[in-house]
Amino acid sequence: MNKKILLDAHTHTVASGHAYSSLQEMAKAAADKGLQVLGITEHGPSVPGTCPMLYFKNMFVVPRQMYGIRLLMGCEINILDTKGSLDLTDEQMGWLDIGIAGIHGAWYQAGTKEENTQGMINVIRHPGIHIISHPADGSAELDFEQLVLAAKEAHTLLEVNNHSLAPQRKKTVARENNLELLRLCKRYGVPTILGSDAHVSFQIADYERLYPLLAETDFPDELIMNYWPDRFFDYLRL
């Protein structure tokens, strides 16, 4: 097995309001861990205390090479409802290097399983969205088979999120949901991405809670984008 993590696409800095390291601290930690690519993806505007919209508009000032790694400046955009409404406009998404979208229960108007799934599929198909964050954490009831098939067609990555499995999060269905997601990705040959969802520099590329799930499903390294940065950029057309 390869097991050499070269990419972490989903992390947060102090700009998100409830994280604890600066952008440069995050980049330096990623370089120290031997990564080639780091995504800085601050929370979208629905999350209290996150950065103002001017932060995203001004991201062009940030060097995209830092401490020897390639930096992707983006956003974890909030999915708001079963229509797949997002809290960034298409114009605002144009400021980003990478767009991640996810459901955070406090800012999501849920519907039935079928309605939630259709809204998520609408987001998966959005050209400005490259990754769906923690779809299996239980924040909404979803049909994972439909999501995997939609993601395969759209070349959007479904994330398996390490942070969701932290005991403090009390995401009681996250483990079984993520196992189901991995089994479906394996069955249909759909790439996935491991997400640290790091909120402090020490969490970058920390997937310790996910490795047992990968072992249990005998998940192939070839489908884990964190090992293959070139495939990651090609697949997402970045």
Side-chain angles (χ1 to χ4, degrees), residues 125-136:
R125 291 173 175 166
H126 191 293
I129 299 303
H130 305 102
I131 298 172
I132 301 296
S133 59
H134 45 73

Side-chain angles (χ1 to χ4, degrees), residues 4-224:
K4 176 60 178 172
I5 297 293
L6 299 175
L7 181 154
D8 189 351
H10 179 184
T11 72
H12 300 272
T13 78
V14 289
S16 280
H18 57 278
Y20 300 94
S21 300
S22 71
L23 189 155
Q24 287 175 250
E25 288 170 337
M26 297 291 277
K28 183 62 165 59
D32 290 345
K33 291 187 176 187
L35 269 63
Q36 295 179 5
V37 182
L38 177 68
I40 300 290
T41 50
E42 312 298 2
H43 281 289
S46 298
V47 176
T50 193
C51 47
M53 197 56 62
L54 184 59
Y55 175 95
F56 297 109
K57 190 172 186 179
N58 199 46
M59 288 192 305
F60 69 89
V61 305
V62 178
R64 295 320 199 255
Q65 292 286 334
M66 194 179 292
Y67 304 111
I69 66 165
R70 178 171 177 177
L71 203 60
L72 297 173
M73 298 296 294
C75 180
E76 185 182 11
I77 302 158
N78 293 284
I79 303 171
L80 302 176
D81 55 37
T82 57
K83 296 178 182 178
S85 304
L86 302 170
D87 65 351
L88 257 63
T89 66
D90 288 357
E91 178 185 1
Q92 291 162 346
M93 279 184 263
W95 303 335
L96 311 176
D97 300 332
I98 188 168
I100 298 179
I103 292 173
H104 297 92
W107 305 285
Y108 178 69
Q109 295 180 356
T112 65
K113 181 177 183 178
E114 293 74 19
E115 290 169 339
N116 296 335
T117 300
Q118 186 55 58
M120 181 72 82
I121 289 172
N122 293 343
V123 176
I124 287 170
R125 291 173 175 166
H126 191 293
I129 299 303
H130 305 102
I131 298 172
I132 301 296
S133 59
H134 45 73
D137 73 353
S139 293
E141 191 177 7
L142 296 162
D143 184 322
F144 296 117
E145 186 167 24
Q146 288 193 49
L147 297 186
V148 168
L149 293 173
K152 182 176 185 177
E153 180 182 2
H155 278 224
T156 302
L157 294 173
L158 302 177
E159 178 195 69
V160 183
N161 185 283
N162 189 74
H163 196 48
S164 299
L165 297 176
Q168 298 89 339
R169 302 295 309 284
K170 299 180 180 179
K171 301 283 189 180
T172 57
V173 300
R175 188 180 191 280
E176 290 305 315
N177 281 356
N178 277 291
L179 284 170
E180 181 182 357
L181 184 64
L182 287 168
R183 291 185 181 111
L184 287 164
C185 286
K186 179 181 175 181
R187 180 191 305 172
Y188 291 108
V190 179
T192 188
I193 189 163
L194 311 182
S196 73
D197 203 353
H199 282 64
V200 67
S201 61
F202 303 102
Q203 294 178 335
I204 288 174
D206 179 3
Y207 308 116
E208 289 303 315
R209 300 183 185 96
L210 302 181
Y211 294 135
L213 278 60
L214 299 175
E216 185 170 338
T217 56
D218 194 23
F219 199 80
D221 285 350
E222 292 73 21
L223 295 179
I224 300 173

